[in-house]
Structure formats: structure tokens, C-alpha cells
Amino acid sequence: MKSLSAARAASLIGDFTRSPAYAGLADALRVVIGDGRVGLGVRLPSERDLAEALGVSRTTATRAYVTLRESGYAEARQGAGTFTRVPGGRERAHDRALLPLGDRDDLIDLNCAATSAPPGLAEAYAEAMEDLPAYLGGQGYYPLGLPVAQAAIAAAYEARGLPTSPGQIMVTPGALAASSIVAHALTGTRDRVLVEAPTYPNATRALSSAGARIAAAVVDDDGWDLDALVKTAADTKPRLAYLIPDFQNPTGLLLADEARAELAARLTRHGVRPVIDEAHQQLGLGVAMPPPFASYAPEAITIGSASKSHWGGLRLGWIRAPHDVMDRLVKARVGIDLGAPVLEQLVLTALLTRHPEVVEGNRARLREQRDALVSAVRTHLPEWSFRVPDGGLALWCRLPRHVGTDIAAQAELAGVAFAAGPVFAPEGGLNEHVRIPWVRPADELEEAVRRIARAWAQVIDGSAGQLDRPTGRILVA
């Protein structure tokens, strides 16, 4: 049974509204339970202990717990105390498309490389709700994005040393929508798009949605082979090159400054426009980030996202593009959708302009989780090899045998879901790899690796049995 100490509760809660104090305390508890800082089924400290730790009356703590129970975020168990829960239970977090076996309470989902919401996100939503009434008198459609959101995103590029005007920004419902808009605007049937191999599979689907054909250039475990990549570009004559230089998905590689300059120049000579996916750019874990790729390629189109840096449920991405292609992007966009939700754009604006600590907090927990995962894999799966990324969300592990799909299937039977290498291979192969994200709390990651190690042993000694993966599984991140 997990318990939350009064001291730890006080640390998590911090300051809270005290008018009235019991309501502010209940609200603060709802936030830390809802965003996962306090897990489900955890015993809360006694009312007396919590009151002492927070410097409030016991009556305040008692009324806060009553309010918490009435709102569905806690339950009293006779003789045992007060335990955390959320309205709807664990099922609220499951989508059958993502987790066909989502009714398994013990399943640790590492298939999706995305985290729960970081501390501070709920507060940004509350601020956005205060800003929302000013927009309700309009029609609500913003094909380019709310001007305040465009300005905030442009300012973020300026801060990274890349001059950008708000007119170069289009806000989209996620990075995949951005990729699809770019493909429809800038490619036609049978045009080629160069991608890395391995790469993020949904992006290749989005880029091919306009009828373009995919050409792949290998990125190995040690990095990009620029000569091979440029040779592929010369041989296939692609219109676009979709690249992930910032903690590449799935390898976690970071393209160095000098290599960015060289690659940009060589692609320009071959007439290839770079499309740069920066979804993981803000997830550096203690490393100095190189300049944006577009610093070296003025014709580049950059795709950004709030899903990894903040939260997938925010569902916002953006495109930064040269002024001369914005009209084409707008024309392509209105055939797909008419704009991103206003409330979420206000949330993103608040996060970018007033709450940089949210990303900092997210990076801090990701660093702890990465280190826990690395330690567990080294301890329990010493035969596996990997390079520890300086950021991003996942380990790209090489296995001593080509059994990636088998180990993923067996591990799922043991209660861990993750993706095997072939999922990320646009032209097949990579069955000697698996991707394991560090997106769950450290204790869950350690338990996940123990289960994977047992599954690995069964695959290697031949005792795994039938290894059919569940049907209907899709990968979103």
C-alpha cells in the first residue's frame, strides 16, 4: 500500500488560496492527483498530520477531504484512511484504439512516447478561461492562429536566435496536422519526400497523404551519414526532406551545429526544401541546444508541437515558414480544417509567455525517469545495447538477436506495451531494435523493465509460446 506523507503532501501542494482555505486546499489536492504527481490508490496523510504540515486548522483539512471525496478525487475506506482516486477511475485514461487491452489495470503503457500533464498546466488552463470571454463575440475561426499565439510562438524562435515574424506562423491541431498541411501545399502525386530511417511512422503517413512517395536514408545508431543522405537526395530528387534533428524519434540523436550547416547547404544545392520536425526540441536534459536548422536554411519549413514539451491533450502544433509559401499553406489548410481550438491557443500563449517553469518542471521529471530507465535496463538486460540520449523521450535499444517483434509481443503478455523497431522502418527491417520511452514514473519503469527481462528470457529460451500481438494497436507518438 502506497502512502503520501504529510511533508511530501505539503511540498507538492505549496501555496494555495485561503479564501476559504478548505476550498483552496481541496483544489490544490485535485490538481496534484489529477496530473499524476500523486498516484491513484495512494493513502493520503491523516487530517491532523496534514493540518500540522500546512499550518492550518484540523477543521480546514477535514473539510478539504470532504470536498475531495464529494468531487470524486478521494474515497474513505473504513479503518484504513482516505485514498486517492479520479472520477471515472483508471478507464478515463484509456482509448481502445491505443490500448486494445486497456481494461488491464496492471498494463504499463510504454507504446506511446508521451507524458502525463506536468505541474502547472491546470493553472494555465484556468488563466486561459479568464481570457476566453474576449473572443466569444467573434466567429472563432483562425486559419492562421490567434494573433497572440502567433506572436508568442514567433517570440520563442526569436529567443533562440531565429528572426521570425508572427506572419510566418500557422497554429495547427498538432504536429501531424502541420505535416499534412505541408504535404498538401508543397507536394503532388508521385513527388518524392526524403525521410530518415528509422523515423516517426505517422509523419511519413501524413507526408504521403497528398500522394507523394517516400525515399528513405538510413540513420544508424551513431548518427546521420550525411554523404549517404545527400546521395539519396541526388538519386531520388525529392521535393522535400523531412528531418528530425532534435532528439530524433526514435533514436534520440541530436544533430550537431556543424552538421546542420553542412546538411542545409548540401540540400539547398540539390533543390530540396527541408521540413524540420522540432517536436522534441524543448526536451534537452542538460545539453546545450544547437541553433535551429532554419538558421542555415532560410527556405526550411519548421514544425513545432506542444504535445511533448507540455501535454498531448493540448493538441497544438505550428508551422514556421517563409513568407512566400504562407498563402499556399493557408489554401491547403482550409481543405483540411479551419483552425485550432481557441481555448487551447490561449493556454499555449499563457505557457509560452508566463509559465516557462512548466517546461522546466517537465524536463526535471523526465531526467529522473530517463536515469531510472537506463539503470534498470543496464541491470536487468545487460545484453541489450543503447546510447543514452541527451534529451527526448526514449531509449532506442539494439538487441543481440532479430526478435524485436517477438519480445514486444511477449512483454505485452507480461503487462508492458512498447514498440518494436519495424514500426519505425519506412522500408522494412530494424527487428533487432525496440523503443522504450521513459514517460512513466521511475517505479513503474523499473517494474516494466523487470517484466521485459522475464519476457526476454522466455523468448530466448523458446518458452514464449504463441506470440500474437493484439489487433487494432496504433502508434501515436
Side-chain angles (χ1 to χ4, degrees):
M1 178 189 304
K2 294 183 179 179
S3 298
L4 180 69
S5 70
R8 177 60 175 159
S11 173
L12 290 172
I13 292 167
D15 195 16
F16 59 90
T17 301
R18 300 191 180 225
S19 299
Y22 81 88
L25 176 54
D27 285 342
L29 285 166
R30 271 196 294 266
V31 169
V32 298
I33 294 169
D35 69 18
R37 279 178 282 172
V38 178
L40 302 185
V42 173
R43 184 171 62 190
L44 294 172
S46 71
E47 296 157 1
R48 180 175 61 188
D49 290 348
L50 183 62
E52 290 179 357
L54 293 173
V56 298
S57 70
R58 185 170 178 180
T59 299
T60 294
T62 299
R63 292 187 67 186
Y65 276 11
V66 169
T67 302
L68 206 62
R69 291 194 293 268
E70 290 175 345
S71 61
Y73 284 83
E75 61 182 355
R77 298 180 188 173
Q78 186 68 32
T82 300
F83 291 77
T84 60
R85 64 182 300 273
V86 291
R90 297 178 189 273
E91 279 296 298
R92 89 219 180 278
H94 292 151
D95 184 295
R96 293 291 178 177
L98 302 183
L99 290 178
L101 301 182
D103 56 345
R104 287 183 54 176
D105 286 344
D106 68 334
L107 184 68
I108 301 174
D109 177 23
L110 300 179
N111 190 59
C112 185
T115 69
S116 59
L121 194 73
E123 289 83 349
Y125 266 91
E127 290 183 19
M129 284 297 295
E130 294 179 0
D131 297 334
L132 181 62
Y135 294 86
L136 298 179
Q139 26 74 2
Y141 294 109
Y142 294 88
L144 279 171
L146 286 185
V148 292
Q150 291 177 282
I153 295 167
Y157 282 112
E158 291 272 359
R160 294 170 55 203
L162 180 60
T164 303
S165 71
Q168 291 179 262
I169 302 298
M170 173 185 285
V171 185
T172 65
L176 279 178
S179 299
S180 185
I181 291 166
V182 170
H184 280 82
L186 300 179
T187 66
T189 302
R190 303 191 67 77
D191 282 338
R192 289 191 180 272
V193 177
L194 179 66
V195 303
E196 299 149 334
T199 193
Y200 176 39
N202 288 343
T204 60
R205 295 188 190 103
L207 290 165
S208 61
S209 62
R213 295 176 295 169
I214 298 298
V218 172
V219 176
D220 62 31
D221 293 353
D222 296 320
W224 288 263
D225 184 336
L226 298 191
D227 289 336
L229 191 153
V230 174
K231 183 178 186 305
T232 301
D235 292 343
T236 60
K237 296 178 173 55
R239 186 174 293 274
L240 305 175
Y242 170 78
L243 305 170
I244 314 175
D246 298 294
F247 310 119
Q248 201 258 2
N249 187 4
T251 65
L253 293 164
L254 179 64
L255 187 62
D257 188 3
E258 299 82 1
R260 292 173 188 236
E262 178 184 350
L263 180 56
R266 295 175 73 175
L267 289 176
T268 297
R269 285 198 294 272
H270 285 281
V272 182
R273 185 191 295 271
V275 177
I276 304 301
D277 186 336
E278 287 192 341
H280 292 177
Q281 191 277 332
Q282 293 190 67
L283 299 180
L285 304 180
V287 63
M289 294 299 295
F293 193 97
S295 299
Y296 305 106
E299 75 282 7
I301 292 176
T302 303
I303 293 171
S305 173
S307 295
K308 308 302 184 184
S309 57
H310 292 87
W311 184 45
L314 193 55
R315 297 310 316 126
L316 285 182
W318 55 85
I319 300 169
R320 180 202 178 274
H323 286 287
D324 61 1
V325 300
M326 290 304 296
D327 284 346
R328 294 165 67 184
L329 292 174
V330 172
K331 290 176 182 177
R333 198 255 174 84
V334 297
I336 298 172
D337 66 59
L338 296 176
V342 172
L343 176 62
E344 275 66 25
Q345 292 191 67
L346 293 173
V347 175
L348 178 61
T349 301
L351 290 166
L352 293 177
T353 60
R354 301 194 293 273
H355 295 287
E357 75 279 358
V358 172
V359 172
E360 291 293 340
N362 200 23
R363 283 195 285 257
R365 67 172 179 165
L366 288 173
R367 188 179 299 110
E368 176 187 351
Q369 291 167 194
R370 178 199 61 183
D371 295 346
L373 178 61
V374 166
S375 176
V377 174
R378 284 175 171 165
T379 298
H380 298 288
L381 292 161
E383 308 97 325
W384 293 17
S385 60
F386 56 86
R387 183 190 53 80
V388 180
D390 290 321
L393 291 168
L395 286 186
W396 181 240
C397 299
R398 177 183 285 273
L399 315 180
R401 300 189 189 183
H402 289 246
V403 292
T405 54
D406 288 345
I407 182 60
Q410 186 65 28
E412 186 150 342
L413 295 177
V416 184
F418 61 89
V423 171
F424 306 94
E427 295 181 340
L430 296 177
N431 200 32
E432 73 281 17
H433 286 87
V434 297
R435 187 191 73 170
I436 306 180
W438 54 74
V439 294
R440 300 301 303 161
D443 60 338
E444 287 190 30
L445 292 171
E446 290 160 2
E447 172 60 23
V449 173
R450 284 191 287 269
R451 296 181 188 182
I452 294 170
R454 290 195 294 269
W456 170 252
Q458 291 175 312
V459 168
I460 295 305
D461 68 18
S463 63
Q466 184 64 36
L467 298 177
D468 292 330
R469 284 184 65 80
T471 59
R473 173 63 52 79
I474 62 173
L475 184 82
V476 299

